[in-house]
Amino acid sequence: MNRRDVVIIGGGPAGLAAAAALKKAGIHDILIVEREKQLGGILRQCIHDGFGLTRFGETLSGPEYSQRFINEVKDLQIESITNATVIDLSNDKVVTIDTTEGLLKIQARAVILTMGCRERTRGALAIPGTRPAGIYNAGVAQSYMNLYNKMVGKNIVIMGSGDIGLIMARRLTLEGAHVSAVFEILPYPSGLPRNIEQCLNDYNIPLYLSHSVIDIKGDPRIESVVAAQVDEKQKIIPGTEKEFPCDTLILSVGLIPENELSLSAGVSLDGRTKGAIVDENFQTDVPGIFAAGNVLHVHDLVDFVSLEAEKLAEGVSRYLKEGSLPEADIPVETGSNIGHVIPQKISGTRDIQMSLRVRRPVKKCRLVISQGSHTIKSIPMPKAIPAEMIQLQLKADSFISKEPVEVRIDE
Amino acid sequence: MNSRTFTCIICPNGCEIQVSYEGDKIHEINGNKCKKGLQYVEQELTDPRRTIASSVRIKGAELPLCSVRLTKPIPKKDIFSVMEKINQADLTAPVHIGDVVIKNVCGLDSDVIVTKDMERLQ
Ligand SMILES: Cc1cc2nc3c(=O)[nH]c(=O)nc-3n(C[C@H](O)[C@H](O)[C@H](O)COP(=O)(O)OP(=O)(O)OC[C@H]3O[C@@H](n4cnc5c(N)ncnc54)[C@H](O)[C@@H]3O)c2cc1C
Ligand code: SF4
């Protein structure tokens, strides 16, 4: 069997940034495995700009951002194989790859999971009505339009206010389609405020909050949807139903980390993030298996993905040099109004980077990190919304005991 | 005096900025985390601008489309005329990031450039 120091599964921004950082830290025996024909991940189809502002100080499109990392990986002479899908990962880090030349098995010392995420589909939603043609996931519609020159329709309704749906509302409008409505079941948008502004408001596309699609009509192609207002418990308010004619329904109802391989390796997942449970080194509960990027928790900004992967690389290189990492025996718990937090456990011996999201929008609050009765940090926040990931750094010496760390929002 | 809330689109923070103004004179501004927010509001009040990204047909490459964007923001009202020009353009592989597809599009002092390396298919 082949042996490698590090196998990286997935050549998107997370995998590429991890590879480059490892190489710079003196780890040379690295292989990136990518299922698609090219490296770059999902950003290849995100042709709009707005990427890389934090990282490069200029605003780039998705393909440009990816290309910078692809070039870096090439310049550093890091090996990669494309058109190669990892089909199995074992608990002892044997990676099985389906390549154009047949199956390849590699025994790795460390494995980095950077498989990204996939979109939630209509199946996960249970909308009644017929199942006609003309219903697309936002990301699928994006790849049809931006990569393959296939327009999905002319009269569009969008369900869900996730960022990809908002970006697609603008993209479809620019290409001459009419987007008549975006429906969001929650009382607040799930995408970023800047995307509401520049993708919907700029083109007078109405956003219906607390609204859900309750019926889909048409056969063989979709002809209309019926939408209705919902109450706080997401129950339909009778009498508010309205029909919207359309030839296309776009679903933008969220992303889920792609974790089949993690599960086959015996990695424990967090029910909140749907990604692995990790420590401050981004190591999962299987020693030597690490995870970062969208496979770990859904990110909205690729700049943060790259940073996270670089942080991970520090941990991996230490693991390879020292043979193991300090035990992470301090749990990090989510308190009031915290949706999830990464890492879920820490050793208390190293500075950490914490990422979290609030569960519902709040104004004028405090983000409080505490350990027992001791407050580690209390940060005033003018606003906090689920669409925006919050990141902060904490010093190793802020952790004064082995008691659980609690993260919460005080209003 | 008018008051309005702007959402700054310059960076992902998306600050909510409360502004009271008369014509294009700003009297009070709150909520912007940095001074780019003030510049954004000034621009919005006088001459709102956006950059756009799209794609252009390409021959001889692996995929039929090549992604492009503008190098500088253009007035909002000109977006659809620029889109029309972009839709008329076509490219032949190979092309590289930064190649100019349309110089000074519609005389707006902004270029349409390639945002993806696409090699010629052998
Ligand atoms: C449709 C869509 C649109 C998005 N739009 C934006 C946006 O506009 N702005 C933004 O900042 N972020 C956007 N995001 C978030 C975006 O995913 C992240 O910014 C970033 O691309 C995540 O990087 P990643 O490396 O974690 O995942 P990805 O970019 O998804 O890369 C994962 C890679 O792993 C490969 N892979 C998966 N499984 C295997 C396997 N078994 N074997 C081999 N290879 C495998 C995939 O082919 C892929 O190339 C979008 C996400 C999606 C899904
Ligand atoms: S005001 Fe500054 S920090 Fe706030 S969104 Fe605009 S550019 Fe970003």
Side-chain angles (χ1 to χ4, degrees):
Chain A
M1 199 180 332
N2 284 305
R3 289 177 183 278
R4 289 274 181 176
D5 280 346
V6 187
V7 173
I8 300 179
I9 309 176
L16 295 171
L22 277 172
K23 184 90 185 195
K24 288 183 203 158
I27 311 289
H28 299 290
D29 187 18
I30 306 169
L31 180 69
I32 306 174
V33 184
E34 170 55 50
R35 166 173 76 184
E36 299 292 324
K37 244 185 216 165
Q38 293 111 343
L39 296 174
I42 201 81
L43 288 194
R44 292 189 311 121
Q45 70 182 56
C46 305
I47 64 169
H48 54 280
D49 70 350
F51 301 87
L53 205 61
T54 359
R55 172 135 207 142
F56 298 114
E58 57 182 312
T59 151
L60 302 170
S61 67
E64 288 169 288
Y65 187 93
S66 282
Q67 194 63 45
R68 295 210 174 182
F69 283 88
I70 296 173
N71 292 347
E72 190 174 15
V73 160
K74 287 211 174 111
D75 292 346
L76 290 166
Q77 297 176 333
I78 297 168
E79 248 181 283
S80 61
I81 45 171
T82 54
N83 270 325
T85 306
V86 175
I87 53 170
D88 190 49
L89 172 63
S90 73
N91 194 266
D92 52 3
K93 291 166 295 207
V94 174
V95 187
T96 310
I97 312 168
D98 186 5
T99 74
T100 45
E101 275 123 51
L103 282 193
L104 177 65
K105 268 187 191 283
I106 299 176
Q107 171 71 63
R109 286 177 65 205
V111 171
I112 301 179
L113 307 172
T114 46
M115 289 92 73
C117 59
R118 59 162 189 268
E119 294 183 274
R120 247 180 252 273
T121 56
R122 185 185 174 197
L125 291 167
I127 320 166
T130 55
R131 301 203 156 232
I135 304 178
Y136 300 90
N137 274 330
V140 173
Q142 189 177 48
S143 78
Y144 280 1
M145 281 188 78
N146 294 348
L147 299 180
Y148 301 104
N149 200 14
K150 269 174 57 185
M151 186 73 179
V152 290
K154 280 271 151 214
N155 283 302
I156 319 279
V157 164
I158 299 180
M159 177 168 159
S161 59
D163 285 308
I164 310 167
L166 302 177
I167 299 281
M168 283 311 290
R170 175 176 63 183
R171 183 81 192 104
L172 285 154
T173 307
L174 286 176
E175 291 296 350
H178 176 69
V179 182
S180 55
V182 178
F183 299 110
E184 171 56 59
I185 194 162
L186 297 171
Y188 50 85
S190 48
L192 293 170
R194 70 196 294 240
N195 286 338
I196 299 291
E197 189 63 27
Q198 63 184 350
C199 299
L200 300 186
N201 297 348
D202 270 2
Y203 300 95
N204 301 314
I205 300 169
L207 168 62
Y208 297 88
L209 296 174
S210 302
H211 271 73
S212 184
V213 170
I214 58 166
D215 197 5
I216 294 174
K217 295 180 179 178
D219 181 25
R221 191 170 175 112
I222 185 169
E223 281 161 19
S224 69
V225 299
V226 179
Q229 205 176 332
V230 298
D231 63 18
E232 317 81 70
K233 297 201 176 91
Q234 301 194 353
K235 280 237 165 60
I236 296 159
I237 303 175
T240 61
E241 300 85 357
K242 203 178 152 203
E243 195 162 340
F244 290 76
C246 62
D247 58 26
T248 304
L249 172 65
I250 305 263
L251 304 176
S252 178
V253 288
L255 301 165
I256 334 177
E258 176 119 17
N259 273 300
E260 285 68 21
L261 289 175
S262 323
L263 288 170
S264 75
V267 167
S268 306
L269 302 187
D270 180 336
R272 293 159 296 194
T273 54
K274 312 275 188 283
I277 294 173
V278 292
D279 62 21
E280 73 264 32
N281 294 301
F282 297 91
Q283 182 173 239
T284 67
D285 61 355
V286 178
I289 300 187
F290 298 76
N294 275 358
V295 77
L296 179 62
H297 56 140
V298 174
H299 291 250
D300 18 73
L301 293 170
V302 67
D303 302 64
F304 288 162
V305 172
S306 311
L307 279 177
E308 187 170 286
E310 284 159 356
K311 196 86 185 158
L312 165 146
E314 287 173 27
V316 174
S317 98
R318 217 172 124 195
Y319 173 83
L320 290 172
K321 285 171 188 158
E322 294 168 20
S324 69
L325 289 165
E327 193 192 346
D329 50 1
I330 307 176
V332 180
E333 294 170 351
T334 53
S336 67
N337 197 16
I338 299 294
H340 73 254
V341 60
I342 299 277
Q344 292 91 340
K345 52 185 184 171
I346 57 171
S347 66
T349 60
R350 196 188 157 190
D351 297 354
I352 68 161
Q353 174 179 306
M354 194 180 259
S355 305
L356 57 105
R357 281 182 199 269
V358 296
R359 207 184 282 282
R360 58 187 163 74
V362 271
K363 288 206 162 153
K364 292 216 173 68
C365 58
R366 297 190 86 82
L367 171 62
V368 182
I369 322 265
S370 61
Q371 209 175 17
S373 57
H374 168 70
T375 301
I376 295 173
K377 231 176 187 165
S378 169
I379 307 162
M381 316 255 296
K383 66 164 186 180
I385 56 176
E388 266 172 43
M389 186 190 293
I390 300 167
Q391 285 200 324
L392 62 144
Q393 324 290 329
L394 295 168
K395 289 254 173 267
D397 61 12
S398 6
F399 308 107
I400 50 159
S401 68
K402 292 282 173 191
E403 272 187 281
V405 172
E406 191 201 43
V407 185
R408 62 171 196 274
I409 295 286
D410 282 355
E411 285 176 60
Chain B
M1 184 100 80
N2 299 305
S3 55
R4 205 173 127 190
T5 303
F6 290 84
T7 303
C8 180
I9 62 167
I10 302 302
C11 90
N13 279 334
C15 292
E16 252 180 46
I17 310 181
Q18 286 84 31
V19 184
S20 51
Y21 65 97
E22 241 174 292
D24 56 10
K25 275 233 148 50
I26 296 172
H27 289 270
E28 210 187 320
I29 177 162
N30 283 304
N32 51 318
K33 277 193 199 150
C34 79
K35 66 174 189 299
K36 283 192 206 149
L38 171 63
Q39 288 161 10
Y40 171 75
V41 170
E42 283 170 346
Q43 188 79 40
E44 285 293 289
L45 287 173
T46 51
D47 169 26
R49 284 177 176 251
R50 298 289 182 266
T51 50
I52 54 173
S54 187
S55 48
V56 166
R57 283 182 306 271
I58 183 165
K59 285 200 228 42
E62 194 168 351
L63 292 168
L65 288 178
C66 177
S67 54
V68 300
R69 69 170 165 94
L70 295 176
T71 51
K72 269 192 210 163
I74 53 160
K76 244 164 117 173
K77 62 174 175 31
D78 295 312
I79 288 177
F80 285 92
S81 14
V82 169
M83 272 305 293
E84 217 169 283
K85 284 276 180 279
I86 291 177
N87 284 334
Q88 285 162 11
D90 52 55
L91 291 166
T92 306
V95 294
H96 295 102
I97 290 176
D99 288 358
V100 176
V101 186
I102 310 172
K103 191 141 189 75
N104 191 16
V105 64
C106 299
L108 295 167
D109 190 28
S110 177
D111 301 338
V112 178
I113 58 162
V114 166
T115 58
K116 195 189 226 170
D117 291 342
M118 294 186 90
E119 300 312 325
R120 187 158 185 88
L121 210 58
Q122 292 310 322

